[in-house]
Amino acid sequence: MEILNWMPQRCRYDPENPPNFTLAMNILLAFSGTFTVANLYYAQPILNVLAEEFGVSYERASDIATLSQAGYAVGLLFLCPLADMVPRRPFILFLIWATATMWIGLCVTHNFEVFISLSFLCGVGTVTPQIMLPLVGDLVPAHRRASSLSVVVSGLALGLLIARVLSGIVANFTSWRNIYWIAFGAQYLTLILLFFFLPDYPSKNKGLNYFRVLWGMAVMVVTEPLLTQACLIGFLLSAAFTSFWTTLTFLLASAPYNYSSLEIGCFAFIGIVVVALAPFWSRLITDKFVFLFSVVLGLGFELVGIVISTFIGSFTVAGPIIHAIMMDSGANFTHTANRSNIYNLDPKARNRINTVYMVFAFGGQITGTAVGNRLYAQGGWVWSGGSNIAYIGVAIVIAMIRGPRETGWMGWSGGWNLRRDDIKNREPAVNGNRDIEEAAPRPG
């Protein structure tokens, strides 16, 4: 493990000359997020193939995806807060190394119980993108934070796209194990690139108690109005997102479409639009205006797509296509603005803040999947679409009852000016030891 603590000279932290966050570094973190978050989605399009391979029912095979997500939730809640207490470079490298090494078992095992157990453990270690996002918030100056975050968030969306499409294609024409070997190689490639290029950044909190950190996250939710507002919006946004993508499979597989699984999987290519548009949106709007403005615009954009799709999606495929483009784009814009906003609450607690936000978002995903499936079974596409309209409608109301400069729980004190107040003087991302308690370079 000592090798993970060693680093090239150019990566070592110097408090007199903090690392510059370049476009190349932004792309590297986005690439890393793509091929780590993809771990959660490789199995989803090939659950039927895995069921046949291991001789289990489709219902039992679905435990693979469920346990992967459950492991991710465990890692999110119990590992991500540690990133506020320890240096993040070795922590990120260790998690990727441990996950990639355990992944070998998924490539070779013929025992279903071993496979699902390893899926859970690999899910736990796949939280590294949620550690990288707060790191971006630390390294990037305020006037570029939203656009830089957007690039990494788009990388996560690309990971979902690549995993589902590549998995379906590879399993369709070769052995399903090949996609797992490809994923193994991608993880070790990510580890190597980060080992040589990820800059060190010291621990910002010295001597924190782990259990007090966990309790502190619960306290944040009831004491920070901005965080509560963002978390509720994130919950509703994620519920609408997963409800759509879950029920879309049922819609396209039935009349009048009757699409094959490969054709349904190709809908994931719509995510390319999101990846292409998100950084430009963030650069032009989110970086220049108050974050609430981008949140409301993103939610409104999404609402229009949902309404159109709900009422025409049953008889023309244009409905789901419009829905997917506008929902993916709106969700990306809103999540990026929310994160950029809440990261300003406490620079020393960005990983804990991000954890709280993601726990709410994950809860929204579970809710959206359960409610969407139930409503689709009872009333079809219109019923599930109606719930999505309700989710986004309530999210807009929550966004509008508290203004961007309001310090309390409700109201618009501070004015209606949409221009941001914090970028008149474009400060560097890190200014000496301003938000770092332990900033001395570690010995090599």
Side-chain angles (χ1 to χ4, degrees):
M1 298 307 299
E2 188 65 26
I3 192 172
L4 295 179
N5 284 312
W6 183 89
M7 67 191 74
Q9 186 66 41
R10 65 175 175 274
C11 296
R12 299 179 185 183
Y13 184 79
D14 180 2
E16 301 301 323
N17 185 27
N20 292 321
F21 192 82
T22 63
L23 177 61
M25 178 57 59
N26 208 169
I27 293 173
L28 173 61
L29 292 180
F31 172 88
S32 303
T34 296
F35 287 102
T36 49
V37 80
N39 292 347
L40 300 173
Y41 302 105
Y42 288 119
Q44 290 187 4
I46 59 171
L47 289 176
N48 58 323
V49 178
L50 294 173
E52 182 178 349
E53 170 74 16
F54 290 105
V56 297
S57 67
Y58 287 170
E59 183 179 5
R60 186 82 173 103
S62 68
D63 288 344
I64 298 170
T66 302
L67 286 173
S68 295
Q69 294 288 343
Y72 182 74
V74 169
L76 191 66
L77 187 57
F78 295 106
L79 291 183
C80 286
L82 286 171
D84 278 336
M85 305 166 61
V86 300
R88 276 168 285 184
R89 175 188 156 94
F91 189 39
I92 289 172
L93 294 179
F94 171 76
L95 287 177
I96 295 176
W97 171 81
T99 304
T101 303
M102 288 188 293
W103 196 267
I104 298 174
L106 294 174
C107 298
V108 301
T109 185
H110 292 274
N111 184 294
F112 183 72
E113 300 302 327
V114 172
F115 193 91
I116 61 173
S117 299
L118 288 174
S119 295
F120 174 82
L121 293 175
C122 289
V124 173
T126 302
V127 294
T128 45
Q130 299 305 329
I131 301 173
M132 293 176 188
L133 285 167
L135 179 61
V136 174
D138 287 332
L139 295 175
V140 181
H143 66 276
R144 289 176 45 213
R145 188 167 295 146
S147 55
S148 299
L149 282 171
S150 182
V151 172
V152 181
V153 171
S154 296
L156 304 188
L158 187 62
L160 184 151
L161 160 71
I162 288 176
R164 287 179 171 171
V165 174
L166 191 61
S167 182
I169 292 175
V170 171
N172 193 55
F173 295 105
T174 69
S175 168
W176 66 270
R177 293 187 186 272
N178 289 334
I179 188 60
Y180 276 81
W181 282 114
I182 292 172
F184 167 75
Q187 290 175 77
Y188 262 92
L189 174 61
T190 300
L191 177 64
I192 292 169
L193 290 174
L194 291 177
F195 181 81
F196 285 106
F197 297 106
L198 182 66
D200 188 29
Y201 196 80
S203 169
K204 298 188 295 180
N205 300 276
K206 191 174 182 179
L208 278 181
N209 180 278
Y210 178 68
F211 296 102
R212 289 184 63 187
V213 165
L214 295 180
W215 172 249
M217 292 191 298
V219 173
M220 284 182 189
V221 178
V222 296
T223 58
E224 292 287 355
L226 173 59
L227 180 59
T228 303
Q229 180 187 37
C231 286
L232 291 176
I233 292 171
F235 176 93
L236 294 164
L237 190 66
S238 298
F241 184 87
T242 55
S243 173
F244 166 69
W245 282 107
T246 301
T247 56
L248 178 65
T249 301
F250 303 141
L251 175 71
L252 297 180
S254 58
Y257 305 114
N258 298 313
Y259 287 171
S260 68
S261 57
L262 187 59
E263 290 171 318
I264 294 172
C266 287
F267 260 73
F269 280 114
I270 293 172
I272 294 176
V273 176
V274 177
V275 174
L277 288 179
F280 294 103
W281 169 286
S282 296
R283 189 73 169 175
L284 293 174
I285 298 178
T286 311
D287 274 336
K288 296 181 179 179
F289 296 92
V290 293
F291 297 120
L292 185 63
F293 180 61
S294 290
V295 169
V296 174
L297 276 182
L299 291 172
F301 195 64
E302 189 166 342
L303 182 62
V304 171
I306 295 173
V307 171
I308 292 173
S309 175
T310 297
F311 296 105
I312 72 171
S314 299
F315 55 86
T316 173
V317 75
I321 291 175
I322 293 171
H323 190 158
I325 293 174
M326 300 186 76
M327 168 165 274
D328 281 14
S329 301
N332 189 292
F333 303 151
T334 303
H335 280 309
T336 299
N338 265 341
R339 278 195 172 99
S340 300
N341 205 2
I342 60 179
Y343 285 173
N344 292 327
L345 285 172
D346 184 356
K348 294 181 182 179
R350 282 184 176 137
N351 282 281
R352 283 166 281 169
I353 290 170
N354 187 68
T355 296
V356 172
Y357 183 76
M358 284 305 301
V359 166
F360 272 81
F362 192 80
Q365 293 175 17
I366 296 173
T367 302
T369 300
V371 173
N373 287 342
R374 176 63 62 88
L375 289 177
Y376 188 89
Q378 294 181 350
W381 182 250
V382 174
W383 279 34
S384 62
S387 70
N388 295 337
I389 293 173
Y391 291 139
I392 302 304
V394 174
I396 292 174
V397 171
I398 293 173
M400 295 301 296
I401 62 176
R402 185 180 181 279
R405 298 174 185 85
E406 175 62 51
T407 57
W409 290 93
M410 297 177 66
W412 278 74
S413 63
W416 293 73
N417 184 18
L418 296 180
R419 286 282 180 178
R420 287 175 57 184
D421 302 324
D422 62 340
I423 58 173
K424 293 178 181 178
N425 298 315
R426 296 189 170 189
E427 79 281 6
V430 181
N431 183 12
N433 296 337
R434 182 182 61 191
D435 63 345
I436 304 176
E437 292 185 12
E438 178 190 343
R442 303 199 322 278

